[in-house]
Amino acid sequence: QVQLVQSGGGSVQAGGSLRLSCAALDQSIRTYCMGWFRQAPGKEREGVATIGIDGISTYADSVKGRFTISVDNTEKNTLYLDMNKLKPEDTDMYYCAAAQHLYDCYLSSLSNLAKYWGQGTQVTVSS
């Protein structure tokens, strides 16, 4: 099992930047497909980005060119999401997720198969 603990986020004006972190406790994330999702109350969960065991990343069209997902597989054992050129429509609660040994690491597969989720962190972008 792995416990995911999120940090970062907050409030920023449109055009600004934020970094989200997702620290994995108790187990190395080297064998996990990992990703970020966002969801507002009463709305469906939306995939943001994934990064696979092979290091290949995928992004939702809405964030391509603005967001970057990365992972530190060393002792930090942490997943990151660097968000640039933020827009008011990026305002949401963001969650990290992980699925072990998931080699088809895409937004749809991770959304369906993620067994571990972070506690969520709020991102608010004002215009």
mmCIF file of all heavy atoms in Angstrom, residues 85-127:
data_model
loop_
_atom_site.group_PDB
_atom_site.id
_atom_site.type_symbol
_atom_site.label_atom_id
_atom_site.label_comp_id
_atom_site.label_asym_id
_atom_site.label_seq_id
_atom_site.Cartn_x
_atom_site.Cartn_y
_atom_site.Cartn_z
ATOM 1 N N LYS A 85 0.618 29.689 -16.531
ATOM 2 C CA LYS A 85 -0.414 30.382 -17.328
ATOM 3 C C LYS A 85 -1.814 29.962 -16.863
ATOM 4 O O LYS A 85 -2.680 29.627 -17.678
ATOM 5 C CB LYS A 85 -0.232 30.090 -18.809
ATOM 6 C CG LYS A 85 1.120 30.511 -19.342
ATOM 7 C CD LYS A 85 1.259 30.154 -20.824
ATOM 8 C CE LYS A 85 2.629 30.533 -21.350
ATOM 9 N NZ LYS A 85 2.801 30.164 -22.782
ATOM 10 N N LEU A 86 -2.016 29.989 -15.574
ATOM 11 C CA LEU A 86 -3.281 29.525 -15.010
ATOM 12 C C LEU A 86 -4.447 30.410 -15.441
ATOM 13 O O LEU A 86 -4.292 31.634 -15.607
ATOM 14 C CB LEU A 86 -3.184 29.471 -13.482
ATOM 15 C CG LEU A 86 -2.432 28.246 -12.957
ATOM 16 C CD1 LEU A 86 -1.953 28.485 -11.539
ATOM 17 C CD2 LEU A 86 -3.320 27.012 -13.031
ATOM 18 N N LYS A 87 -5.585 29.765 -15.609
ATOM 19 C CA LYS A 87 -6.816 30.428 -16.023
ATOM 20 C C LYS A 87 -7.878 30.242 -14.944
ATOM 21 O O LYS A 87 -7.830 29.266 -14.194
ATOM 22 C CB LYS A 87 -7.318 29.813 -17.335
ATOM 23 C CG LYS A 87 -6.312 29.838 -18.475
ATOM 24 C CD LYS A 87 -6.869 29.103 -19.682
ATOM 25 C CE LYS A 87 -5.883 29.099 -20.831
ATOM 26 N NZ LYS A 87 -6.417 28.366 -22.018
ATOM 27 N N PRO A 88 -8.859 31.120 -14.900
ATOM 28 C CA PRO A 88 -9.938 30.939 -13.912
ATOM 29 C C PRO A 88 -10.619 29.578 -14.033
ATOM 30 O O PRO A 88 -11.034 29.013 -13.009
ATOM 31 C CB PRO A 88 -10.896 32.082 -14.256
ATOM 32 C CG PRO A 88 -10.013 33.145 -14.809
ATOM 33 C CD PRO A 88 -8.962 32.407 -15.599
ATOM 34 N N GLU A 89 -10.685 29.047 -15.228
ATOM 35 C CA GLU A 89 -11.330 27.736 -15.400
ATOM 36 C C GLU A 89 -10.499 26.582 -14.847
ATOM 37 O O GLU A 89 -10.962 25.446 -14.807
ATOM 38 C CB GLU A 89 -11.676 27.468 -16.870
ATOM 39 C CG GLU A 89 -10.541 27.691 -17.838
ATOM 40 C CD GLU A 89 -10.595 29.067 -18.482
ATOM 41 O OE1 GLU A 89 -10.843 30.074 -17.761
ATOM 42 O OE2 GLU A 89 -10.360 29.145 -19.709
ATOM 43 N N ASP A 90 -9.274 26.845 -14.423
ATOM 44 C CA ASP A 90 -8.463 25.830 -13.751
ATOM 45 C C ASP A 90 -8.823 25.719 -12.272
ATOM 46 O O ASP A 90 -8.314 24.824 -11.573
ATOM 47 C CB ASP A 90 -6.977 26.162 -13.877
ATOM 48 C CG ASP A 90 -6.480 26.085 -15.315
ATOM 49 O OD1 ASP A 90 -6.892 25.154 -16.035
ATOM 50 O OD2 ASP A 90 -5.683 26.962 -15.708
ATOM 51 N N THR A 91 -9.666 26.600 -11.786
ATOM 52 C CA THR A 91 -10.080 26.554 -10.388
ATOM 53 C C THR A 91 -10.802 25.245 -10.094
ATOM 54 O O THR A 91 -11.757 24.888 -10.772
ATOM 55 C CB THR A 91 -11.009 27.739 -10.068
ATOM 56 O OG1 THR A 91 -10.276 28.959 -10.210
ATOM 57 C CG2 THR A 91 -11.565 27.635 -8.655
ATOM 58 N N ASP A 92 -10.308 24.527 -9.094
ATOM 59 C CA ASP A 92 -10.855 23.211 -8.798
ATOM 60 C C ASP A 92 -10.141 22.631 -7.583
ATOM 61 O O ASP A 92 -9.127 23.181 -7.118
ATOM 62 C CB ASP A 92 -10.625 22.259 -9.988
ATOM 63 C CG ASP A 92 -11.919 21.696 -10.533
ATOM 64 O OD1 ASP A 92 -12.822 21.436 -9.716
ATOM 65 O OD2 ASP A 92 -12.007 21.483 -11.760
ATOM 66 N N MET A 93 -10.647 21.506 -7.113
ATOM 67 C CA MET A 93 -9.931 20.685 -6.144
ATOM 68 C C MET A 93 -9.123 19.677 -6.942
ATOM 69 O O MET A 93 -9.676 18.966 -7.792
ATOM 70 C CB MET A 93 -10.906 19.986 -5.209
ATOM 71 C CG MET A 93 -10.231 19.205 -4.104
ATOM 72 S SD MET A 93 -9.494 20.275 -2.850
ATOM 73 C CE MET A 93 -10.967 20.663 -1.905
ATOM 74 N N TYR A 94 -7.834 19.598 -6.652
ATOM 75 C CA TYR A 94 -6.947 18.712 -7.386
ATOM 76 C C TYR A 94 -6.563 17.514 -6.517
ATOM 77 O O TYR A 94 -6.256 17.670 -5.329
ATOM 78 C CB TYR A 94 -5.684 19.466 -7.812
ATOM 79 C CG TYR A 94 -5.927 20.382 -8.989
ATOM 80 C CD1 TYR A 94 -6.680 21.548 -8.836
ATOM 81 C CD2 TYR A 94 -5.415 20.093 -10.248
ATOM 82 C CE1 TYR A 94 -6.917 22.387 -9.917
ATOM 83 C CE2 TYR A 94 -5.639 20.932 -11.331
ATOM 84 C CZ TYR A 94 -6.394 22.068 -11.157
ATOM 85 O OH TYR A 94 -6.628 22.899 -12.230
ATOM 86 N N TYR A 95 -6.538 16.339 -7.155
ATOM 87 C CA TYR A 95 -6.214 15.096 -6.463
ATOM 88 C C TYR A 95 -5.124 14.351 -7.221
ATOM 89 O O TYR A 95 -5.168 14.268 -8.447
ATOM 90 C CB TYR A 95 -7.437 14.191 -6.382
ATOM 91 C CG TYR A 95 -8.602 14.768 -5.620
ATOM 92 C CD1 TYR A 95 -9.564 15.560 -6.259
ATOM 93 C CD2 TYR A 95 -8.759 14.521 -4.254
ATOM 94 C CE1 TYR A 95 -10.624 16.093 -5.564
ATOM 95 C CE2 TYR A 95 -9.814 15.053 -3.550
ATOM 96 C CZ TYR A 95 -10.746 15.831 -4.205
ATOM 97 O OH TYR A 95 -11.806 16.366 -3.509
ATOM 98 N N CYS A 96 -4.177 13.787 -6.486
ATOM 99 C CA CYS A 96 -3.237 12.872 -7.122
ATOM 100 C C CYS A 96 -3.754 11.449 -6.942
ATOM 101 O O CYS A 96 -4.537 11.168 -6.036
ATOM 102 C CB CYS A 96 -1.829 13.025 -6.544
ATOM 103 S SG CYS A 96 -1.657 12.706 -4.784
ATOM 104 N N ALA A 97 -3.311 10.578 -7.830
ATOM 105 C CA ALA A 97 -3.787 9.202 -7.823
ATOM 106 C C ALA A 97 -2.670 8.276 -8.257
ATOM 107 O O ALA A 97 -1.762 8.684 -8.990
ATOM 108 C CB ALA A 97 -4.983 9.051 -8.753
ATOM 109 N N ALA A 98 -2.767 7.009 -7.841
ATOM 110 C CA ALA A 98 -1.729 6.043 -8.177
ATOM 111 C C ALA A 98 -2.333 4.669 -8.357
ATOM 112 O O ALA A 98 -3.264 4.279 -7.645
ATOM 113 C CB ALA A 98 -0.661 6.009 -7.084
ATOM 114 N N ALA A 99 -1.768 3.937 -9.324
ATOM 115 C CA ALA A 99 -2.167 2.552 -9.558
ATOM 116 C C ALA A 99 -0.894 1.754 -9.822
ATOM 117 O O ALA A 99 -0.137 2.078 -10.749
ATOM 118 C CB ALA A 99 -3.111 2.446 -10.748
ATOM 119 N N GLN A 100 -0.658 0.718 -9.049
ATOM 120 C CA GLN A 100 0.565 -0.062 -9.185
ATOM 121 C C GLN A 100 0.490 -0.983 -10.392
ATOM 122 O O GLN A 100 -0.560 -1.578 -10.677
ATOM 123 C CB GLN A 100 0.823 -0.870 -7.916
ATOM 124 C CG GLN A 100 2.234 -1.435 -7.844
ATOM 125 C CD GLN A 100 2.537 -2.068 -6.509
ATOM 126 O OE1 GLN A 100 1.649 -2.539 -5.812
ATOM 127 N NE2 GLN A 100 3.808 -2.073 -6.130
ATOM 128 N N HIS A 101 1.611 -1.083 -11.080
ATOM 129 C CA HIS A 101 1.768 -1.993 -12.224
ATOM 130 C C HIS A 101 0.743 -1.726 -13.325
ATOM 131 O O HIS A 101 0.378 -2.657 -14.056
ATOM 132 C CB HIS A 101 1.676 -3.440 -11.764
ATOM 133 C CG HIS A 101 2.729 -3.836 -10.774
ATOM 134 N ND1 HIS A 101 4.056 -3.539 -10.938
ATOM 135 C CD2 HIS A 101 2.628 -4.472 -9.576
ATOM 136 C CE1 HIS A 101 4.747 -3.987 -9.912
ATOM 137 N NE2 HIS A 101 3.914 -4.557 -9.059
ATOM 138 N N LEU A 102 0.288 -0.498 -13.447
ATOM 139 C CA LEU A 102 -0.601 -0.118 -14.552
ATOM 140 C C LEU A 102 0.269 0.427 -15.683
ATOM 141 O O LEU A 102 0.768 1.547 -15.611
ATOM 142 C CB LEU A 102 -1.613 0.935 -14.095
ATOM 143 C CG LEU A 102 -2.554 1.475 -15.194
ATOM 144 C CD1 LEU A 102 -3.376 0.340 -15.805
ATOM 145 C CD2 LEU A 102 -3.465 2.565 -14.621
ATOM 146 N N TYR A 103 0.460 -0.380 -16.724
ATOM 147 C CA TYR A 103 1.383 -0.004 -17.789
ATOM 148 C C TYR A 103 0.713 0.837 -18.871
ATOM 149 O O TYR A 103 1.379 1.571 -19.595
ATOM 150 C CB TYR A 103 2.024 -1.262 -18.367
ATOM 151 C CG TYR A 103 2.942 -1.921 -17.363
ATOM 152 C CD1 TYR A 103 2.472 -2.927 -16.518
ATOM 153 C CD2 TYR A 103 4.259 -1.498 -17.206
ATOM 154 C CE1 TYR A 103 3.295 -3.506 -15.564
ATOM 155 C CE2 TYR A 103 5.093 -2.071 -16.256
ATOM 156 C CZ TYR A 103 4.603 -3.083 -15.440
ATOM 157 O OH TYR A 103 5.419 -3.641 -14.490
ATOM 158 N N ASP A 104 -0.585 0.698 -19.029
ATOM 159 C CA ASP A 104 -1.335 1.578 -19.930
ATOM 160 C C ASP A 104 -1.767 2.800 -19.119
ATOM 161 O O ASP A 104 -2.909 2.910 -18.679
ATOM 162 C CB ASP A 104 -2.552 0.851 -20.501
ATOM 163 C CG ASP A 104 -2.148 -0.269 -21.442
ATOM 164 O OD1 ASP A 104 -1.129 -0.103 -22.140
ATOM 165 O OD2 ASP A 104 -2.855 -1.298 -21.464
ATOM 166 N N CYS A 105 -0.821 3.696 -18.946
ATOM 167 C CA CYS A 105 -1.011 4.799 -18.009
ATOM 168 C C CYS A 105 -1.618 6.002 -18.726
ATOM 169 O O CYS A 105 -0.906 6.914 -19.160
ATOM 170 C CB CYS A 105 0.325 5.165 -17.358
ATOM 171 S SG CYS A 105 0.177 6.308 -15.978
ATOM 172 N N TYR A 106 -2.946 5.997 -18.836
ATOM 173 C CA TYR A 106 -3.664 7.073 -19.473
ATOM 174 C C TYR A 106 -4.709 7.616 -18.496
ATOM 175 O O TYR A 106 -5.016 6.999 -17.482
ATOM 176 C CB TYR A 106 -4.343 6.579 -20.752
ATOM 177 C CG TYR A 106 -3.385 5.947 -21.720
ATOM 178 C CD1 TYR A 106 -3.388 4.576 -21.947
ATOM 179 C CD2 TYR A 106 -2.446 6.729 -22.391
ATOM 180 C CE1 TYR A 106 -2.502 3.984 -22.827
ATOM 181 C CE2 TYR A 106 -1.553 6.145 -23.277
ATOM 182 C CZ TYR A 106 -1.578 4.775 -23.493
ATOM 183 O OH TYR A 106 -0.691 4.206 -24.365
ATOM 184 N N LEU A 107 -5.272 8.765 -18.842
ATOM 185 C CA LEU A 107 -6.218 9.402 -17.933
ATOM 186 C C LEU A 107 -7.421 8.499 -17.658
ATOM 187 O O LEU A 107 -7.859 8.373 -16.516
ATOM 188 C CB LEU A 107 -6.680 10.739 -18.508
ATOM 189 C CG LEU A 107 -5.608 11.827 -18.587
ATOM 190 C CD1 LEU A 107 -6.122 13.035 -19.340
ATOM 191 C CD2 LEU A 107 -5.149 12.226 -17.195
ATOM 192 N N SER A 108 -7.943 7.867 -18.685
ATOM 193 C CA SER A 108 -9.135 7.033 -18.492
ATOM 194 C C SER A 108 -8.826 5.804 -17.669
ATOM 195 O O SER A 108 -9.576 5.451 -16.749
ATOM 196 C CB SER A 108 -9.717 6.637 -19.849
ATOM 197 O OG SER A 108 -8.749 5.965 -20.624
ATOM 198 N N SER A 109 -7.725 5.138 -17.969
ATOM 199 C CA SER A 109 -7.383 3.913 -17.244
ATOM 200 C C SER A 109 -7.032 4.217 -15.792
ATOM 201 O O SER A 109 -7.452 3.496 -14.882
ATOM 202 C CB SER A 109 -6.241 3.164 -17.929
ATOM 203 O OG SER A 109 -5.105 3.997 -18.081
ATOM 204 N N LEU A 110 -6.281 5.265 -15.568
ATOM 205 C CA LEU A 110 -5.920 5.599 -14.185
ATOM 206 C C LEU A 110 -7.156 6.030 -13.406
ATOM 207 O O LEU A 110 -7.306 5.669 -12.233
ATOM 208 C CB LEU A 110 -4.861 6.694 -14.165
ATOM 209 C CG LEU A 110 -4.333 7.061 -12.784
ATOM 210 C CD1 LEU A 110 -3.748 5.848 -12.063
ATOM 211 C CD2 LEU A 110 -3.305 8.180 -12.874
ATOM 212 N N SER A 111 -8.045 6.785 -14.018
ATOM 213 C CA SER A 111 -9.257 7.199 -13.325
ATOM 214 C C SER A 111 -10.072 5.999 -12.870
ATOM 215 O O SER A 111 -10.633 5.987 -11.777
ATOM 216 C CB SER A 111 -10.118 8.072 -14.240
ATOM 217 O OG SER A 111 -11.303 8.498 -13.591
ATOM 218 N N ASN A 112 -10.107 4.970 -13.695
ATOM 219 C CA ASN A 112 -10.903 3.781 -13.357
ATOM 220 C C ASN A 112 -10.199 2.839 -12.394
ATOM 221 O O ASN A 112 -10.853 2.125 -11.632
ATOM 222 C CB ASN A 112 -11.253 3.014 -14.635
ATOM 223 C CG ASN A 112 -12.235 3.768 -15.523
ATOM 224 O OD1 ASN A 112 -13.058 4.542 -15.040
ATOM 225 N ND2 ASN A 112 -12.123 3.564 -16.827
ATOM 226 N N LEU A 113 -8.865 2.804 -12.461
ATOM 227 C CA LEU A 113 -8.134 1.765 -11.748
ATOM 228 C C LEU A 113 -7.292 2.259 -10.577
ATOM 229 O O LEU A 113 -6.718 1.436 -9.862
ATOM 230 C CB LEU A 113 -7.232 1.021 -12.739
ATOM 231 C CG LEU A 113 -7.971 0.301 -13.869
ATOM 232 C CD1 LEU A 113 -6.984 -0.294 -14.873
ATOM 233 C CD2 LEU A 113 -8.878 -0.777 -13.311
ATOM 234 N N ALA A 114 -7.214 3.549 -10.380
ATOM 235 C CA ALA A 114 -6.406 4.058 -9.265
ATOM 236 C C ALA A 114 -6.961 3.545 -7.946
ATOM 237 O O ALA A 114 -8.149 3.687 -7.653
ATOM 238 C CB ALA A 114 -6.386 5.578 -9.283
ATOM 239 N N LYS A 115 -6.074 2.979 -7.165
ATOM 240 C CA LYS A 115 -6.483 2.453 -5.858
ATOM 241 C C LYS A 115 -6.158 3.440 -4.753
ATOM 242 O O LYS A 115 -6.752 3.395 -3.671
ATOM 243 C CB LYS A 115 -5.759 1.128 -5.613
ATOM 244 C CG LYS A 115 -6.191 0.393 -4.369
ATOM 245 C CD LYS A 115 -5.481 -0.951 -4.257
ATOM 246 C CE LYS A 115 -5.902 -1.704 -3.006
ATOM 247 N NZ LYS A 115 -5.201 -3.014 -2.892
ATOM 248 N N TYR A 116 -5.230 4.341 -5.028
ATOM 249 C CA TYR A 116 -4.767 5.261 -3.998
ATOM 250 C C TYR A 116 -4.970 6.698 -4.479
ATOM 251 O O TYR A 116 -4.632 7.038 -5.620
ATOM 252 C CB TYR A 116 -3.294 5.010 -3.694
ATOM 253 C CG TYR A 116 -3.017 3.569 -3.339
ATOM 254 C CD1 TYR A 116 -2.421 2.711 -4.260
ATOM 255 C CD2 TYR A 116 -3.387 3.060 -2.098
ATOM 256 C CE1 TYR A 116 -2.198 1.386 -3.953
ATOM 257 C CE2 TYR A 116 -3.159 1.732 -1.786
ATOM 258 C CZ TYR A 116 -2.563 0.901 -2.714
ATOM 259 O OH TYR A 116 -2.348 -0.425 -2.400
ATOM 260 N N TRP A 117 -5.493 7.512 -3.569
ATOM 261 C CA TRP A 117 -5.792 8.904 -3.884
ATOM 262 C C TRP A 117 -5.263 9.811 -2.778
ATOM 263 O O TRP A 117 -5.283 9.432 -1.601
ATOM 264 C CB TRP A 117 -7.297 9.121 -4.033
ATOM 265 C CG TRP A 117 -7.880 8.440 -5.220
ATOM 266 C CD1 TRP A 117 -8.292 7.141 -5.299
ATOM 267 C CD2 TRP A 117 -8.109 9.007 -6.507
ATOM 268 N NE1 TRP A 117 -8.757 6.865 -6.568
ATOM 269 C CE2 TRP A 117 -8.657 7.993 -7.326
ATOM 270 C CE3 TRP A 117 -7.898 10.269 -7.065
ATOM 271 C CZ2 TRP A 117 -9.005 8.219 -8.669
ATOM 272 C CZ3 TRP A 117 -8.241 10.485 -8.385
ATOM 273 C CH2 TRP A 117 -8.785 9.470 -9.177
ATOM 274 N N GLY A 118 -4.812 10.993 -3.172
ATOM 275 C CA GLY A 118 -4.440 11.989 -2.192
ATOM 276 C C GLY A 118 -5.676 12.636 -1.590
ATOM 277 O O GLY A 118 -6.805 12.388 -2.022
ATOM 278 N N GLN A 119 -5.451 13.492 -0.597
ATOM 279 C CA GLN A 119 -6.567 14.078 0.142
ATOM 280 C C GLN A 119 -7.187 15.273 -0.578
ATOM 281 O O GLN A 119 -8.245 15.737 -0.190
ATOM 282 C CB GLN A 119 -6.102 14.507 1.554
ATOM 283 C CG GLN A 119 -5.375 15.841 1.630
ATOM 284 C CD GLN A 119 -3.898 15.748 1.314
ATOM 285 O OE1 GLN A 119 -3.424 14.759 0.715
ATOM 286 N NE2 GLN A 119 -3.160 16.771 1.714
ATOM 287 N N GLY A 120 -6.529 15.749 -1.617
ATOM 288 C CA GLY A 120 -7.047 16.884 -2.367
ATOM 289 C C GLY A 120 -6.457 18.192 -1.901
ATOM 290 O O GLY A 120 -6.141 18.371 -0.707
ATOM 291 N N THR A 121 -6.279 19.108 -2.846
ATOM 292 C CA THR A 121 -5.800 20.443 -2.525
ATOM 293 C C THR A 121 -6.485 21.444 -3.458
ATOM 294 O O THR A 121 -6.645 21.187 -4.638
ATOM 295 C CB THR A 121 -4.266 20.515 -2.641
ATOM 296 O OG1 THR A 121 -3.804 21.779 -2.198
ATOM 297 C CG2 THR A 121 -3.804 20.308 -4.070
ATOM 298 N N GLN A 122 -6.892 22.563 -2.904
ATOM 299 C CA GLN A 122 -7.660 23.544 -3.662
ATOM 300 C C GLN A 122 -6.747 24.466 -4.450
ATOM 301 O O GLN A 122 -5.740 24.964 -3.931
ATOM 302 C CB GLN A 122 -8.543 24.374 -2.720
ATOM 303 C CG GLN A 122 -9.373 25.441 -3.405
ATOM 304 C CD GLN A 122 -10.455 24.848 -4.304
ATOM 305 O OE1 GLN A 122 -11.055 23.815 -3.980
ATOM 306 N NE2 GLN A 122 -10.713 25.501 -5.435
ATOM 307 N N VAL A 123 -7.126 24.691 -5.696
ATOM 308 C CA VAL A 123 -6.475 25.684 -6.545
ATOM 309 C C VAL A 123 -7.545 26.685 -6.971
ATOM 310 O O VAL A 123 -8.589 26.303 -7.515
ATOM 311 C CB VAL A 123 -5.837 25.033 -7.787
ATOM 312 C CG1 VAL A 123 -5.363 26.105 -8.771
ATOM 313 C CG2 VAL A 123 -4.674 24.141 -7.371
ATOM 314 N N THR A 124 -7.285 27.958 -6.701
ATOM 315 C CA THR A 124 -8.231 29.003 -7.065
ATOM 316 C C THR A 124 -7.518 30.053 -7.904
ATOM 317 O O THR A 124 -6.493 30.596 -7.483
ATOM 318 C CB THR A 124 -8.828 29.666 -5.810
ATOM 319 O OG1 THR A 124 -9.472 28.660 -5.018
ATOM 320 C CG2 THR A 124 -9.836 30.728 -6.195
ATOM 321 N N VAL A 125 -8.053 30.309 -9.091
ATOM 322 C CA VAL A 125 -7.459 31.279 -10.012
ATOM 323 C C VAL A 125 -8.461 32.401 -10.231
ATOM 324 O O VAL A 125 -9.571 32.168 -10.705
ATOM 325 C CB VAL A 125 -7.088 30.628 -11.350
ATOM 326 C CG1 VAL A 125 -6.367 31.646 -12.245
ATOM 327 C CG2 VAL A 125 -6.219 29.402 -11.132
ATOM 328 N N SER A 126 -8.059 33.597 -9.878
ATOM 329 C CA SER A 126 -8.950 34.752 -10.025
ATOM 330 C C SER A 126 -8.612 35.523 -11.294
ATOM 331 O O SER A 126 -7.462 35.572 -11.720
ATOM 332 C CB SER A 126 -8.832 35.664 -8.806
ATOM 333 O OG SER A 126 -7.493 36.083 -8.636
ATOM 334 N N SER A 127 -9.636 36.129 -11.858
ATOM 335 C CA SER A 127 -9.434 36.869 -13.113
ATOM 336 C C SER A 127 -9.021 38.300 -12.851
ATOM 337 O O SER A 127 -9.057 38.789 -11.734
ATOM 338 C CB SER A 127 -10.721 36.844 -13.927
ATOM 339 O OG SER A 127 -11.788 37.371 -13.177
#
